[in-house]
Every structure is written in C-alpha cells, then in structure tokens.
Amino acid sequence: MSAVYVHEKAGKDVPEAGSEAEPFATAAYALFTKGDDIKILTYKETEEEKGYVDITQSALKKAKKGAEGLKKKAEKAAKQPEPAAKKATDAPDIKFTEDKSLPEAKSIKLGKIAENIDQRVTVRGWIHRLRVQKGLIFLTLRDGTGFLQVVFTGDLAKAKQSQELTIESTLMVKGTINKLPEGKTAPGGVELKADYYEVVALAPSGDDAFTNKVAEGADPSYLLDMRHLTLRGDQLSAVMKVRAALLRAVRKFYYEESLTEVTPPCMVQTQVEGGSTLFKMDYYGEEAYLTQSSQLYLETCLPALGDVYCVQESFRAEKSHTRRHLSEYTHIEAELAFISFEDLLSHLEKLLTKVVQYTLEDPVAGPLIKELNPNFKAPQMPFKRMEYIDALDWLNEHGIPNEDGEKFKFGDDIAEAAERKMTDTIGEPILLTRFPVEIKSFYMPKCKDDPRVTESVDVLMPNVGEITGGSMRTWDLDQLLAAFKREGLDTEAYYWFLDLRKYGSCPHGGYGLGTERILAWLCDRFTVRDCSLYPRFTGRCKP
C-alpha cells in the first residue's frame, strides 16, 4: 500500500501530486485520483510537534464522501455536450457600442422592475441561469433584490464575448423592460430586451465552473466548506431574506410594546445556564467566557429603562450534533418588569403570533415562506397550556419512554425526541409550564402552590419543538441567596446582580428565542444550520 501525502495549506489538487515534496491539498482528491488502496498521511502542526501523521477515521470518512462527490462530478462532466466556451472560439469577434440615440437608461435595482415597465434601464448583477441558442441568449440576472430575465439578440447574441458568458459572471446591462406575451413565463412576468451590455467580471468555465464547485447533491460537509458560494442558491438566499424580515418584525413588535433595545456584552465572567456549556477565554490574564445569555444584564436595565430586549449572539459549548443545536446563535431576549407569570405567558403568545403575522405580510418574505413551506399555518391565540406533570402523563399514556427506556417520572428531563413526538401529535403550539426545580436554572422562582416546580415555560411548535424558553425571576434577595448556595455559585462574582434585589426589586420575568429555530419552523428547514449565515457547531468554525 503506497503512502500519499496531504497538506491542506501547501498542497495542490492536481493528478501528479501526492508525494511528500508535492502533496495533495485534500484527502478527498487523493482518494479520487489514487483510489482506496492508499495510506493517507496528513500534515499536522501543533505546539508539541509538526509533521505527517496517519489520517483520522473521522477525516477519512469525510474524505471518502468528498471523493464520491468528485467522482459523480467527473461522470456528469463526461456526459455533457461540448462546452459553450469551446464553441465560442468559432463565434465572430464582434465589437458593439452603445447607441447614444436611445433614451438615457435609468439605473435601478431588480426589485424595482415592476415600477419601470416600458422604460429603458440599466441593471447590474450576476448570471443566475444561462441558455445559449442559435442567434439568441436567455439569461436570468440576480442582484439580491430580485431576478430578471434578459434577452440578447442580433450581434449581442452572436458575439464571441456573449458566447463565452458563464454562470455567476457579473454584468451591466442596458435595455427596455417589457411585459411577457401570454403563455410565456419569467420572474415578475417581464423580460429585459438588451441593447447594450458590459462584462464586469467573467466567472471561470470548465472544471472550475460554478456548477462544478457546488454540484447539487454534494456532501453536506463539503457544501458547508463552500458556504460562501452555496449562499447564492435559491433556497439558502431565500431563508436569509426571511431571516431579515423576521428580525424587522421582532423589532416592530417590541417598538409597539414600548420595549427598549439594548446591547449587553458578549464577554462575561458569570454563567447563566450552567458551567458545562461555557466557552472559556483568557481575558488579559483573567478567566472569562463567551455569554450563554444576556438575561442577567437585561435585568439590570429594568429600573433605568423599563422593559428591554436585545438581539445578540449567544454561545453554547454543547458537544451536540442534533439538527436544532448551534454553538453560536442569534438570541432574541427580553425582560419585563411588574408582571405575573400569566402576563408572561400572554405576552409570549402575542409576540409569536404578531411576529409571524408581520413576517408573512412582508412583500419579500411572505411569498418566500409560501414557496419554502406551502403548508405553513400561522399560530393563533390562545396557545394550548400544559403543565410538566400533565406532559409526563401524556407521554406515559402514549407509550413514549424516557431516555432510560422507562416510564417518565417526576424530575425527568423531557428529551428532544419525546418532546417532538408529543408536540407533533398534538399538532398545535404548546406553552409547557411549571418544570421541576432541579432541572431548571437557579434564578427561577418556585411556584407558591407547589414548591417542587418553578414558574417556567417552554414554547413548543409542531415540526420543530422548543423555540422559546422563559420564566419569572426570583426577586427576593434571601430566596436568591438560597438558590446560589444550592447551586454552589460564588456570590462575589454576582454582586451586581444581587444588588438588583437590594435597591428596589420587583416581580419580573423574561425569555429567550432562538432565531434559527424560529426560521426552521417558518421555512420548513430540516436543520437550524440552514438558517444561519455561517453555522458554527461542534467541529465547524470555517469558512
């Protein structure tokens, strides 16, 4: 078995590579080129040592998937007809210029097409789709605000420059926007008949063509490596547009409810959800963490600013590979003063119904949600209320076991699978309340009628599970100190948080929403990774 060398930084993925002097850049290409009967050595550099070592089993598994993808690409390329770039060598080298006798072209974004029918315009964007015919070229241009079908005829279509156009090339095009005849289809029901264009930047063809870089059906890990390119796809870009509209809707709702937006720190020295999920960092010689939640800081704002919220990144060091976990996510959090637990539940119902309503009413996001999730039904108030102990009864009655394969008993945490099964079966939003003290955070107060449980709530949605968690906050100093003692927390580090209970405390509560989980529910995505611009999770911190 021959040894093949891989060096991610210094190597090159060319057939003749593979030696220690000229290594491959990726193990996937090594397997694709040399076959399975090879020993792969990858270059590693740490503080202790540097040099070539045997590839790990997990990296080998990933490489095999990548090699399979490269094989499929090669097979697909072999079946393709002669590339347009080769045919273009026979096309006439026509030089065309802009006709200055035409009306001046108005520069617009593609989102403004409908307002400029029968007008001569200038548009700029990327070639999203391309179809070259004899004497005619159809292309779909994309600029992020919309799509537009563009038609080249005459010399514009025949010219060598036009015949050599490629997917993802950038163009500036001038022409007139016309409504399409009956029976014809294109984005917005219009097309632009071009009279002049310029190539701003030509994308590669052949092996480096965009469609080869991000081939449909490629290994998910490879597509994440290529996230900077896959974002240009129809579905991922649609989710990002819905995300923007959702965050606008959140801020609109909070403005209507008179909440003030604040921006708490992300570097902290206190914990909120337990030390096992903290990312530690060296902060000028002191130990600090990336925040799990901004809740404690939001509480400090209540006496000064009244009800507050933030839209901030939170970080959880959970080594979890489930489809609903991220190591970094956009956390929508709010704290409300002088409320009861019932007020908190009513507020959450109103928040979710209004935010979804506003997002669906958005002229861009609304149609995209219908396209991505045609069966989506907006939640309606009131939500179903269910206590934790009633949920245990429901799960046991329906034969759904706990994580040990036994019947649920008081104090058990309801794992994701069981929670999802219950929520999907019931088929409507659920406010799941009153969780046991031992499975909830130190700051959650006990219920007056049952000290075994807390004034806490999770909002569960069909097809996605928990999207929101919240509770009332312990506002009595003695009770909070008792909770600190129970959890073994150092009160000195939380002096500022304890001061809130000394200087004018009040009943208050709050919650946190995971933006990506709400998007997965709205857009019918299998994983929250599809709802983050550049998802971060165990083993993934690039590009």
Side-chain angles (χ1 to χ4, degrees):
M1 184 181 290
S2 59
V4 172
Y5 295 84
V6 174
H7 194 308
E8 190 175 315
K9 294 181 180 178
K12 287 186 179 180
D13 279 341
V14 292
E16 60 271 19
S19 66
E20 187 171 1
E22 294 184 39
F24 288 115
T26 65
Y29 192 85
L31 288 169
F32 169 66
T33 307
K34 302 293 186 181
D36 291 334
D37 192 26
I38 56 173
K39 179 181 181 180
I40 299 178
L41 300 171
T42 59
Y43 188 81
K44 298 290 180 186
E45 185 170 350
T46 64
E47 290 182 2
E48 293 79 24
E49 59 177 343
K50 62 179 179 179
Y52 284 96
V53 297
D54 288 339
I55 190 170
T56 64
Q57 285 301 310
S58 60
L60 182 61
K61 185 178 178 181
K62 179 180 174 182
K64 285 180 177 178
K65 285 185 179 179
E68 193 61 34
L70 291 170
K71 183 181 176 182
K72 287 178 181 177
K73 278 188 208 173
E75 290 171 351
K76 183 179 177 182
K79 295 176 183 177
Q80 294 296 322
E82 186 182 8
K86 289 186 178 179
K87 294 179 181 177
T89 57
D90 300 325
D93 192 11
I94 301 171
K95 303 296 182 186
F96 42 83
T97 57
E98 183 177 358
D99 184 349
K100 296 298 183 181
S101 68
L102 293 172
E104 186 177 351
K106 175 186 175 184
S107 183
I108 66 166
K109 294 283 189 181
L110 299 186
K112 301 291 184 181
I113 293 167
E115 301 168 20
N116 290 277
I117 305 296
D118 298 327
Q119 300 294 311
R120 185 168 185 258
V121 297
T122 300
V123 294
R124 298 169 179 84
W126 291 261
I127 297 178
H128 194 64
R129 293 187 180 88
L130 178 64
R131 182 157 47 99
V132 179
Q133 298 177 337
K134 191 173 182 180
L136 205 61
I137 293 178
F138 290 94
L139 60 89
T140 300
L141 209 63
R142 179 194 77 240
D143 74 347
T145 70
F147 298 86
L148 174 64
Q149 179 169 287
V150 178
V151 183
F152 291 171
T153 59
D155 285 351
L156 287 187
K158 295 174 188 174
K160 181 180 179 181
Q161 169 182 300
S162 303
Q163 295 288 316
E164 291 177 341
L165 289 174
T166 51
I167 296 290
E168 292 303 321
S169 291
T170 324
L171 303 183
M172 180 280 290
V173 186
K174 296 187 178 186
T176 303
I177 298 175
N178 300 313
K179 283 190 174 180
L180 284 174
E182 286 288 329
K184 302 289 185 181
T185 59
V190 301
E191 68 180 11
L192 183 141
K193 186 174 181 182
D195 56 59
Y196 177 73
Y197 85 96
E198 294 175 3
V199 177
V200 178
L202 188 67
S205 59
D207 291 343
D208 283 335
F210 182 83
T211 48
N212 287 334
K213 274 285 191 182
V214 288
E216 190 176 341
D219 176 64
S221 182
Y222 172 78
L223 292 177
L224 284 169
D225 288 342
M226 294 290 112
R227 189 70 162 193
H228 56 293
L229 298 180
T230 57
L231 281 170
R232 304 182 188 194
D234 292 341
Q235 294 201 346
L236 261 182
S237 61
V239 173
M240 292 305 119
K241 289 176 183 177
V242 175
R243 180 187 174 103
L246 171 72
L247 292 175
R248 281 197 301 273
V250 165
R251 287 186 164 95
K252 178 180 178 180
F253 172 80
Y254 285 141
Y255 179 77
E256 292 171 346
E257 296 293 310
S258 300
L259 274 74
T260 300
E261 182 171 9
V262 294
T263 50
C266 284
M267 295 183 288
V268 301
Q269 290 186 309
T270 50
Q271 65 187 51
V272 181
E273 301 294 343
S276 63
T277 65
L278 286 164
F279 282 109
K280 292 184 180 180
M281 57 184 290
D282 181 351
Y283 187 73
Y284 303 110
E286 291 186 84
E287 189 174 82
Y289 317 103
L290 293 177
T291 185
Q292 304 160 312
S293 165
S294 297
Q295 176 208 318
L296 305 188
Y297 292 94
L298 291 179
E299 288 189 53
T300 69
C301 297
L302 293 178
L305 303 172
D307 299 342
V308 290
Y309 77 96
C310 70
V311 180
Q312 191 100 327
E313 298 305 286
S314 281
F315 305 86
R316 300 286 173 93
E318 293 175 275
K319 292 184 178 178
S320 176
H321 287 278
T322 76
R323 55 182 170 142
R324 67 174 194 169
H325 281 94
L326 291 168
S327 297
E328 176 186 5
Y329 65 99
T330 303
H331 210 173
I332 301 164
E333 297 183 88
E335 288 294 318
L336 310 168
F338 298 106
I339 62 168
S340 66
F341 187 44
E342 185 57 36
D343 292 335
L344 178 64
L345 300 183
S346 299
H347 171 87
L348 283 169
E349 286 179 325
K350 189 176 180 183
L351 164 73
L352 291 165
T353 51
K354 281 288 188 181
V355 165
V356 169
Q357 176 193 328
Y358 295 155
T359 307
L360 291 173
E361 289 171 353
D362 184 89
V364 173
L368 289 174
I369 292 171
K370 284 187 178 179
E371 194 177 304
L372 294 164
N373 192 3
N375 297 319
F376 179 76
K377 291 182 181 177
Q380 302 296 320
M381 295 192 295
F383 292 0
K384 179 180 180 65
R385 271 129 161 107
M386 177 184 274
E387 293 188 13
Y388 165 85
I389 53 174
D390 296 325
L392 298 189
D393 290 340
W394 190 98
L395 291 164
N396 289 333
E397 287 168 8
H398 288 78
I400 300 170
N402 65 13
E403 289 189 292
D404 297 324
E406 302 171 351
K407 280 194 169 188
F408 277 93
K409 60 185 181 299
F410 188 85
D412 285 348
D413 196 3
I414 303 175
E416 178 191 1
E419 185 180 80
R420 286 283 300 274
K421 180 71 174 174
M422 179 181 72
T423 310
D424 291 352
T425 303
I426 292 172
E428 61 178 301
I430 300 171
L431 293 170
L432 188 59
T433 62
R434 293 165 63 102
F435 291 87
V437 172
E438 56 264 32
I439 64 172
K440 283 298 178 181
S441 297
F442 70 90
Y443 52 77
M444 296 186 182
K446 297 174 182 178
C447 293
K448 290 183 177 63
D449 61 339
D450 186 353
R452 299 179 306 158
V453 296
T454 55
E455 290 185 317
S456 53
V457 57
D458 284 351
V459 183
L460 312 179
M461 287 292 178
N463 302 319
V464 71
E466 181 197 342
I467 61 171
T468 309
S471 76
M472 296 299 289
R473 316 307 193 192
T474 297
W475 59 285
D476 177 83
L477 179 59
D478 291 336
Q479 290 179 17
L480 188 59
L481 287 171
F484 269 71
K485 186 176 181 180
R486 184 180 72 239
E487 298 296 325
L489 294 173
D490 178 13
T491 55
E492 286 188 21
Y494 293 85
Y495 73 92
W496 51 275
F497 186 64
L498 294 171
D499 273 355
L500 299 177
R501 277 69 183 169
K502 290 181 183 178
Y503 299 98
S505 192
C506 75
H508 62 285
Y511 54 87
L513 297 83
T515 301
E516 291 78 12
R517 288 190 186 180
I518 297 176
L519 281 167
W521 167 55
L522 270 177
C523 300
D524 192 27
R525 300 296 91 188
F526 177 74
T527 170
V528 292
R529 297 174 188 178
D530 290 343
C531 304
S532 173
L533 191 66
Y534 284 92
R536 300 295 187 240
F537 52 92
T538 309
R540 167 68 56 180
C541 196
K542 67 176 183 182

